[in-house]
Amino acid sequence: MEQIAFDQLQEKLYYEKMANGLDVYVLPKHGFNKTFATFTTKYGSIDNHFVPLDKNGPVKVPDGIAHFLEHKMFEKEDGDVFQQFSRQGASANAFTSFTRTAYLFSSTSNVQENLTTLIDFVQDPYFTKETVEKEKGIIGQEITMYDDNPDWRLYYGLIANLYHHHPVKIDIAGTIASISDITKDMLYECYHTFYHPSNMLLFVVGPVEPEEIIAQVRKNQDSKNYSEQPSIERIFDQEPQTVAEKLSTLRMNVQTPKCMVGIKTNDASQQGAEMLKKELSLNVMLDLLFGKSTQHYNDLYREGLIDDTFSYDYSQESGFGFAMIGGDTSDPNKLAEKVKEILLQSTNGSNWDEAALQRSIKKKIGGFLRALNSPEYIANQFTRYSFNDMDLFQIVPILENLTLDDINQSAKELISEERMSVCQVLPK
Amino acid sequence: MNITTETVKAIDGVKLHQIKTDKYKTNTIVWKMKAPLSKDTVTLRALLPHVLESSSAAYPTTAKLRAYLDELYGASLYVDLSKKGEYHIISMTIEMANEKFLSDQTPLLRKAFELLSELLLRPLSNNGAFDREVVESEKRTLKQRIQAVNDDKMRYANLRLVQEMCKDEAYALHVHGELDDLPLITESSLYQYYERALAEDELDLYMIGDIDTNEVEQYVRELLPFKNRPVKEASLIRGNDSIEPETIKEEQDVKQAKLNIGYRTGINYGDPEYSALQIFNGIFGGFSHSKLFINVREKASLAYYVASRLESHKGLLMVMSGIDNSSYGQATSIIEEQLEEMRKGTFTEEEITQTKAVIQNQMLETMDTARGVAEVLYHNIVSQKKMDLTQWMNGMEAVIKEDIITVAKKVQLDTIYFLHGKEVQK
């Protein structure tokens, strides 16, 4: 077991790689009632084209299968795992993102039992023809719920505009048509390919003794017969520099129009410290352009072009990355035009100075401290960072060392008219 | 278990609640202003905090105010509004880093109190009126905030149910105010209301973090001087003894229908039967082990979400679900059947124990966040009861099966609201 201390933050992280390849991290949080644990596989909606374990050639699987698999993991021969967690006083959940599937519980008692339940249920798939068919009705309702949600449609609509081929453009839950093709055999094939411990990470945060937790997991894993697995071969098509669509408009049952401007990065190959620095400097740059303390924000607000739904963010994963800026607006065309104009003219560097940079860095550091109050943030983000070889606890030192040159360079690399797209939701 | 200790002290017109703990990296101040919910003031109250958080005399633009907050290591400032029973509550929260985790040791807590004082007592104003441009732009944003509910069908269905169910009660008012009243508000009428609210509202301040309680008390005395005032009490409306249930169906362009059902329980937070009501709700629909989840979702595959929740200061039980347009009949009858099972006592001792464990777990988890601590403790102010966490836990433990059946029999159907798309089956 390794220990990594972060003195300024007064935190200590414990780590061990199990014999079967599983990464286990424990962050003790004394004073808290709750223990929160996530058990995550590096497998999400984008992993739809791969070479399955024990096969020679690649397969393409139906859209939405990773999410479908997540739902089906909770059902076992002897009943529902939710029931078992709640008998042990825990609440359990799961989510599927573009790149990850995470199973989690939180509890203030019976932590040992709950942790065993979490690990065991994720490592013991049980799919039958009947249970797979029954789930299609439930997920069908989940899909129609999102179909009616204009913010959801705007977000995914914009991603679909940005990308020609990359599977990030596919809805995580798939469509009613695509999930109708899913069979139990496909679920087993995906499961055996992506749920090997060497592709997974367990994170436990709460008022726990790290030695005990790690010993418990070690014993649990040693009792299971995992053989070594070759690394997973995932296939992605070459993505052009340009966007697939410059503009799309969706007519929906809304009263207030919505507008988002997106830019995709031309290079999403970075990992580790380089990727962390890029993500942080682009988020600082967006803050310098659109934060509440900027002239741009105040002008847009006064003109009535934005309201408190306005947001901006850059995020990247292996193979794709994009910035998104926008929200509800009275004039979606004018907002799109203004946001693009602000972005394009920012590459001359006249929007920021040293004082504004230092202020934004302070704001981000304070925001990070606030986030460290949240066990959910720590576990989820640490896992996301780790899957990209980044270290969550390097955020503060990297922020403190950002310079105006870094910001200028990031802006120049990201901002380009040909990689921008606009998505709007308009009243019918 | 980590029990939170609250020390309460009235400092003239402000009740100061301090919760000292070293588990956070930040310190949090939650400022609460409470007044009875009423048509005359609901829109003024919804607008006021947004005007106050946008600027002040010392920081006359949002850009200047926000730059100052960024300077204080991204101190977060936000306001929100809530309805609790017959009351309309304004909250203003400031959360700032505890400097012991920073390389820069500037004391931030005093600055946060100075800022709260500045925002509350020195707004951008002139001759008894707020700044016109600020008020106009916040009115525009408030209008969008009120309208936004129409674009989120889950919230919309919930709002429509409450409007139908409580149509002759103040509780039907929109928490963000009423659109019709918005154009009538001026920079001077809002200023007059601001003076009245500061003079008459019940004021509570929650301070949560690794703080020196004497120091905080000193800040409140010095920076937040408010005169003593009598508490304004709203009359408690418990609903009629016998209810003629109503069904409201509304057609809109939606793919998924929303089924929202409202019941009256006659039991409020702080009442002796409230613990039993919470357990009833947990077995019936509050969790993923509950009857509604198992029967509507897992067995019948009708829904992705189906749940029930309590409006704890209003004695209401609300069921909500998203279903296919054609599933109305099947879903309503399963929900009614499950309520009948509750009344008949068709649930096991194991379900009771399981539900108690989950509810207690949920409470302890809520107490792990500073906001959660303030919200839980504030129930005591709204209900005018004095209950600490230990009493709450003991009350929960003492509930037996008969108590839950008694409560289940008090749950009366009031209104079924169904928002559906075009191809609905009769």
Side-chain angles (χ1 to χ4, degrees):
Chain A
M1 190 176 72
E2 287 174 44
Q3 290 184 30
I4 313 151
F6 306 101
D7 295 335
Q8 186 71 56
L9 296 171
Q10 299 178 25
E11 300 284 5
K12 203 181 256 184
L13 183 67
Y14 296 78
Y15 167 68
E16 186 169 309
K17 193 185 250 315
M18 299 294 142
N20 62 22
L22 176 67
D23 284 323
V24 181
Y25 290 88
V26 182
L27 187 80
K29 274 271 186 191
H30 294 291
F32 276 72
N33 298 308
K34 163 163 81 177
T35 297
F36 182 74
T38 57
F39 192 18
T40 312
T41 164
K42 191 174 177 179
Y43 167 53
S45 64
I46 66 166
D47 301 303
N48 64 349
H49 192 191
F50 58 89
V51 180
L53 182 68
D54 302 331
K55 284 206 179 149
N56 296 321
V59 296
K60 274 200 167 169
V61 288
D63 294 351
I65 196 166
H67 171 259
F68 200 104
L69 177 54
E70 171 230 298
H71 270 240
K72 279 332 298 163
M73 287 307 297
F74 284 90
E75 195 162 329
K76 302 294 168 202
E77 197 165 4
D78 57 355
D80 186 307
V81 184
F82 284 121
Q83 293 285 343
Q84 196 180 335
F85 275 114
S86 65
R87 276 195 297 271
Q88 294 163 184
S91 70
N93 215 332
F95 65 84
T96 306
S97 73
F98 296 127
T99 53
R100 286 174 290 144
T101 311
Y103 299 85
L104 55 98
F105 79 84
S106 65
S107 78
T108 55
S109 57
N110 307 317
V111 170
Q112 259 194 353
E113 289 89 329
N114 286 317
L115 185 59
T116 299
T117 304
L118 176 70
I119 298 169
D120 289 351
F121 101 81
V122 175
Q123 294 189 328
D124 180 25
Y126 171 77
F127 312 129
T128 68
K129 192 166 183 292
E130 293 68 36
T131 61
V132 168
E133 287 312 309
K134 201 197 66 188
E135 202 66 25
K136 290 178 182 173
I138 298 171
I139 296 179
Q141 285 306 320
E142 186 177 2
I143 292 169
T144 30
M145 177 180 83
Y146 287 125
D147 276 346
D148 279 336
N149 183 319
D151 290 311
W152 183 271
R153 297 279 301 275
L154 182 72
Y155 180 75
Y156 286 94
L158 182 53
I159 297 173
N161 283 355
L162 291 173
Y163 286 90
H164 292 263
H165 310 300
H166 196 283
V168 68
K169 68 183 293 159
I170 298 164
D171 276 358
I172 290 173
T175 62
I176 291 181
S178 75
I179 63 168
S180 72
D181 297 334
I182 292 173
T183 64
K184 79 170 173 45
D185 293 337
M186 290 178 190
L187 293 178
Y188 276 117
E189 185 171 81
C190 292
Y191 180 85
H192 289 302
T193 306
F194 292 105
Y195 281 65
H196 188 273
S198 60
N199 193 44
M200 299 188 70
L201 189 153
L202 178 72
F203 199 103
V204 181
V205 49
V208 293
E209 292 304 328
E211 291 81 2
E212 286 174 20
I213 296 284
I214 285 182
Q216 184 194 341
V217 178
R218 195 188 302 124
K219 196 168 160 219
N220 178 294
Q221 292 302 286
D222 286 349
S223 72
K224 294 174 182 170
N225 291 319
Y226 281 100
S227 52
E228 213 168 297
Q229 186 168 315
S231 67
I232 304 162
E233 200 181 323
R234 307 167 203 240
I235 297 138
F236 295 98
D237 294 341
Q238 184 70 33
E239 178 67 28
Q241 289 279 317
T242 54
V243 297
E245 299 284 342
K246 295 293 283 177
L247 172 72
S248 66
T249 45
L250 302 162
R251 295 277 169 181
M252 288 185 74
N253 175 19
V254 295
Q255 293 192 351
T256 311
K258 295 172 188 287
C259 174
M260 279 268 186
V261 178
I263 321 176
K264 68 171 175 180
T265 177
N266 60 347
D267 177 10
S269 64
Q270 303 88 356
Q271 290 280 282
E274 196 191 351
M275 177 174 173
L276 182 56
K277 186 173 172 184
K278 177 181 173 185
E279 218 179 56
L280 290 172
S281 51
L282 282 172
N283 276 300
V284 168
M285 181 207 78
L286 290 172
D287 194 46
L288 292 168
L289 289 179
F290 298 107
K292 283 184 173 174
S293 62
T294 64
Q295 195 58 47
H296 294 315
Y297 177 91
N298 283 262
D299 291 345
L300 294 170
Y301 193 88
R302 250 203 318 272
E303 287 174 57
L305 289 175
I306 59 173
D307 63 13
D308 45 16
T309 61
F310 182 73
S311 71
Y312 51 90
D313 178 55
Y314 177 82
S315 70
Q316 183 172 322
E317 297 284 343
S318 169
F320 64 93
F322 44 78
M324 284 199 181
I325 302 116
D328 291 2
T329 179
S330 54
D331 188 340
N333 288 330
K334 198 164 173 201
L335 180 62
E337 194 186 300
K338 291 262 180 184
V339 168
K340 284 168 108 174
E341 192 184 301
I342 291 167
L343 287 166
L344 288 168
Q345 60 83 33
S346 74
T347 50
N348 70 17
S350 64
N351 278 281
W352 38 71
D353 55 30
E354 190 58 34
L357 173 64
Q358 291 312 320
R359 210 164 50 224
S360 179
I361 289 173
K362 277 185 171 178
K363 175 182 171 182
K364 296 267 176 215
I365 291 173
F368 179 67
L369 284 185
R370 195 155 58 236
L372 288 186
N373 289 335
S374 159
E376 291 85 349
Y377 172 88
I378 296 171
N380 290 329
Q381 289 304 310
F382 187 91
T383 304
R384 178 177 101 79
Y385 277 57
S386 175
F387 282 170
N388 288 300
D389 289 324
M390 302 191 283
D391 180 352
L392 181 73
F393 292 97
Q394 289 306 310
I395 285 183
V396 174
I398 291 187
L399 278 172
E400 283 176 333
N401 288 316
L402 283 182
T403 64
L404 280 176
D405 282 347
D406 295 328
I407 306 299
N408 284 322
Q409 201 191 325
S410 305
K412 285 202 181 96
E413 278 170 16
L414 179 72
I415 296 166
S416 153
E417 172 103 59
E418 65 164 8
R419 290 195 303 275
M420 281 189 198
S421 177
V422 175
C423 186
Q424 297 172 335
V425 172
L426 305 176
K428 280 193 172 169
Chain B
M1 191 167 72
N2 182 14
I3 297 282
T4 304
T5 314
E6 177 194 24
T7 55
V8 188
K9 188 164 189 174
I11 298 175
D12 297 326
V14 180
K15 198 177 274 175
L16 171 64
H17 309 250
Q18 301 208 62
I19 298 92
K20 189 172 161 58
T21 166
D22 63 3
K23 68 188 192 191
Y24 306 119
K25 302 261 185 284
T26 52
N27 293 318
T28 305
I29 303 171
V30 184
W31 172 257
K32 299 241 179 214
M33 299 174 59
K34 167 172 158 277
L37 189 57
S38 111
K39 171 86 170 77
D40 303 338
T41 58
V42 69
T43 314
L44 289 159
R45 289 183 76 77
L47 182 60
L48 178 62
H50 292 285
V51 168
L52 296 179
E53 73 152 352
S54 73
S55 55
S56 75
Y59 308 101
T61 64
T62 301
K64 290 201 167 93
L65 176 60
R66 290 284 156 180
Y68 180 62
L69 287 163
D70 294 353
E71 208 54 69
L72 300 179
Y73 283 87
S76 74
L77 162 67
Y78 50 90
V79 299
D80 69 76
L81 289 129
S82 57
K83 288 194 292 186
K84 291 202 189 296
E86 312 304 326
Y87 295 98
H88 196 202
I89 291 135
I90 297 172
S91 305
M92 194 180 264
T93 305
I94 299 180
E95 186 179 359
M96 80 249 57
N98 184 328
E99 59 271 13
K100 74 178 178 188
F101 301 105
L102 296 170
S103 42
D104 169 1
Q105 297 291 309
T106 313
L108 296 172
L109 188 58
R110 182 177 171 93
K111 289 185 187 296
F113 272 95
E114 284 169 353
L115 181 65
L116 180 62
S117 171
E118 167 78 19
L119 296 173
L120 290 171
L121 299 172
R122 282 171 296 280
L124 188 61
S125 64
N126 193 7
N127 282 332
F130 287 116
D131 182 78
R132 181 180 196 131
E133 208 185 327
V134 169
V135 173
E136 287 310 312
S137 104
E138 291 309 318
K139 276 166 73 173
R140 196 167 50 219
T141 307
L142 185 61
K143 186 178 168 200
Q144 272 172 248
R145 203 174 288 128
I146 296 170
Q147 283 175 337
V149 71
N150 296 303
D151 299 346
D152 178 341
K153 297 306 168 196
M154 217 187 278
R155 278 174 60 209
Y156 175 79
N158 183 48
L159 174 81
R160 289 285 299 114
L161 171 64
V162 170
Q163 283 176 343
E164 291 293 341
M165 211 175 152
C166 306
K167 50 180 170 279
D168 304 317
E169 302 169 46
Y171 198 75
L173 294 166
H174 194 307
V175 68
H176 292 306
E178 301 287 307
L179 271 188
D180 300 347
D181 294 333
L182 198 52
L184 310 174
I185 297 176
T186 65
E187 53 277 20
S188 41
S189 71
L190 186 65
Y191 194 87
Q192 281 162 22
Y193 183 71
Y194 154 75
E195 291 187 312
R196 187 181 139 195
L198 284 193
E200 297 179 358
D201 277 14
E202 185 175 2
L203 307 174
D204 289 89
L205 189 148
Y206 292 83
M207 175 77 242
I208 302 127
D210 192 7
I211 33 108
D212 174 340
T213 51
N214 292 323
E215 187 186 321
V216 170
E217 197 181 313
Q218 189 47 44
Y219 294 156
V220 174
R221 283 187 198 288
E222 180 191 336
L223 298 164
L224 297 166
F226 288 95
K227 289 202 176 70
N228 256 315
R229 73 265 333 267
V231 172
K232 289 208 163 184
E233 281 181 42
S235 47
L236 201 61
I237 301 163
R238 289 196 184 248
N240 302 327
D241 287 344
S242 65
I243 304 163
E244 195 60 52
E246 273 197 81
T247 301
I248 310 284
K249 292 190 178 182
E250 186 177 334
E251 185 180 291
Q252 271 198 17
D253 177 14
V254 290
K255 287 190 184 167
Q256 183 179 64
K258 307 290 181 199
L259 174 63
N260 286 50
I261 308 180
Y263 303 85
R264 303 245 177 203
T265 70
I267 303 163
N268 283 324
Y269 185 92
D271 287 349
E273 287 174 308
Y274 187 75
S275 300
L277 179 65
Q278 275 189 295
I279 296 169
F280 160 83
N281 178 56
I283 299 173
F284 179 57
F287 301 102
S288 51
H289 70 265
S290 306
K291 290 190 180 300
L292 293 184
F293 192 88
I294 291 171
N295 291 287
V296 179
R297 173 174 151 144
E298 298 296 303
K299 288 196 180 149
S301 294
L302 294 183
Y304 168 65
Y305 74 91
V306 54
S308 66
R309 65 182 179 83
L310 298 170
E311 286 282 354
S312 35
H313 296 281
K314 185 65 189 166
L316 306 181
L317 171 76
M318 307 293 212
V319 169
M320 69 207 94
S321 184
I323 58 174
D324 205 63
N325 286 319
S326 59
S327 306
Y328 175 83
Q330 201 190 348
T332 46
S333 63
I334 296 175
I335 294 166
E336 187 50 39
E337 268 163 39
Q338 293 311 311
L339 180 57
E340 203 42 50
E341 295 297 323
M342 293 298 300
R343 292 182 181 127
K344 286 196 295 205
T346 319
F347 50 90
T348 60
E349 283 302 326
E350 199 195 347
E351 279 175 278
I352 300 174
T353 316
Q354 177 181 21
T355 303
K356 283 180 179 176
V358 175
I359 294 175
Q360 288 175 346
N361 180 60
Q362 199 178 44
M363 173 60 99
L364 287 171
E365 289 193 11
T366 304
M367 299 300 268
D368 270 349
T369 68
R371 289 273 311 201
V373 170
E375 288 307 313
V376 169
L377 297 175
Y378 196 63
H379 283 310
N380 283 332
I381 300 296
V382 178
S383 64
Q384 301 185 322
K385 298 274 158 52
K386 189 103 198 77
M387 193 175 1
D388 65 23
L389 195 55
T390 313
Q391 288 166 308
W392 184 90
M393 289 282 173
N394 293 342
M396 192 61 59
E397 272 313 318
V399 172
I400 56 169
K401 187 170 182 177
E402 282 64 35
D403 302 334
I404 302 167
I405 297 171
T406 307
V407 162
K409 288 180 177 158
K410 291 192 174 179
V411 173
Q412 281 184 287
L413 176 63
D414 186 301
T415 303
I416 300 176
Y417 172 80
F418 188 54
L419 176 69
H420 59 80
K422 295 223 165 17
E423 74 274 54
V424 70
Q425 279 181 9
K426 295 291 170 212

